[in-house]
Structures are given as structure tokens and as C-alpha cells.
Amino acid sequence: MASVNLLSTKGLSRSFGGIRAVENVDFELPEGQIRALIGPNGAGKSTFVGLLCGRIAASSGSVRFMDRDISNLPAHRRIALGMAYTFQITSVFARLSLYENVALAARRHIGGDRASVDREVASALERVGLTERTDQPAEDLSYGHQRLLEIAMGIAQHPKLLILDEPTQGLADSEIRQFNALVRELNAEATILLIEHNMDVVMEIADAITVLNFGEVLAEGEPEEIRRNKAVQAAYLGTD
């Protein structure tokens, strides 16, 4: 049976002052896949994700999610449809506790019932390994643990699509191993789009990889196919 695309773009482009940050990108993400998005700094990855999430308006092209054109929907409407995301710069509420941060996200999904929110918060924090810090202010966490808190906030929304932008930045090696296991676990519940510089992580957990360069798709394929791709080696992997 052919895979069903959860998310797709057609001719998606964005310019900033005449600079084409994303150029005519056609992209398809099948439901249930772990897709990695990689590329050199300045390749357009964060802009592309911003276009998917509705935080950046497209100059041209379209975005479809769950077989619906969402090109003109604002970010909060896309969240309501089942997107959740973390960004390269953490967006936690620094002075709120971990509980309060995750509870805010959980209420988007289940409303205000306190018992249900408590269960969602406890489950999400346990899955990212932050249970013992429930009552701490988020600002007391290391940068890496703030990234894990963001993931917990995403988990609590029970998204259909979870977008993770540089999630392992600031994590120790042991925490990265735990993260890899967590992503595989979450993939049973959500399609995952992973923007990541750590190629060990990408090669271990991604089902497929899309490579951006100068705002355009340079290559797509399974991890080993991308590893062997000469154009990708020259542009990003540092070999020839």
C-alpha cells in the first residue's frame, strides 16, 4: 500500500530583501516517518520549518497538511490541527515551573480539567527524564534540558506531526542516546521531522533524509544513500 503524505509543499519559496532563503521546494512527508532535514548553515532549514509552521509567510507556493491546504493559516491554527514544534532558540517560559510550562501545552489538547492535565504533565516529563525537576523554574535548567522541556511540551499536545529543530544541541552523549530512544518511541504516535546537525543521530534514527543547500533540495533518500551521495559530500559532509 502506498504511503499517505501527512505534509507536503509545492513550489514553496521565501525571499528576504531579494535573497531567496527557500527556493521552489517540493517536499513530501509520509505519515509515520522519521524524516531528517539537514544542510549547511544558511541552507534555509529554519526558514523552511517556519514556513511549514506558519511563523513565516511564504512568498509563493503552498503547504498541505492532512490533505488540507494550510498555506494561509496562522501558526496557532496549524497547532490546533495537530502540529507541534520546538525551535533552535528555546521558547520555554523561563520563570514558570516545568509543570506550568507543560500544563500550558497540555491544555491546548485536553482543556482545563486539572486531573487530566496533571496526568499529561507527569507522563510527558517522565518520558524526557525531567520528573524530579517538576517544580523547578525552567530558567534553572541547562540549555540542553530546556530543549527536553520543549519536547515534553510538544508531547503533551499529542501531535500528529512533531517538528524538532536542533533538539540534541546542549545534550550530553548519554542524554543523546536517551533522546534517540525517545524519538523511536514517539514515532509510534506521531510523524517526526527532525532538523539536526549531529549526523550520528540522523544516521541512526532517520528513515529518510532531505538535504537543503542554498534554499533548494539538493538530495533525498535513505541514510546510506545520502551518505554516499557525492553532491551531499561536497556540500555538507566534508568529504569528496
Side-chain angles (χ1 to χ4, degrees), residues 50-61:
L51 294 170
L52 298 180
C53 297
R55 292 173 65 106
I56 299 173
S59 301
S60 60

Side-chain angles (χ1 to χ4, degrees), residues 98 130 133 136-146 149:
L98 275 63
L130 293 177
R133 305 187 180 201
Q136 286 185 335
E139 64 186 355
D140 288 352
L141 296 179
S142 67
Y143 179 79
H145 285 164
Q146 287 186 22
L149 174 58

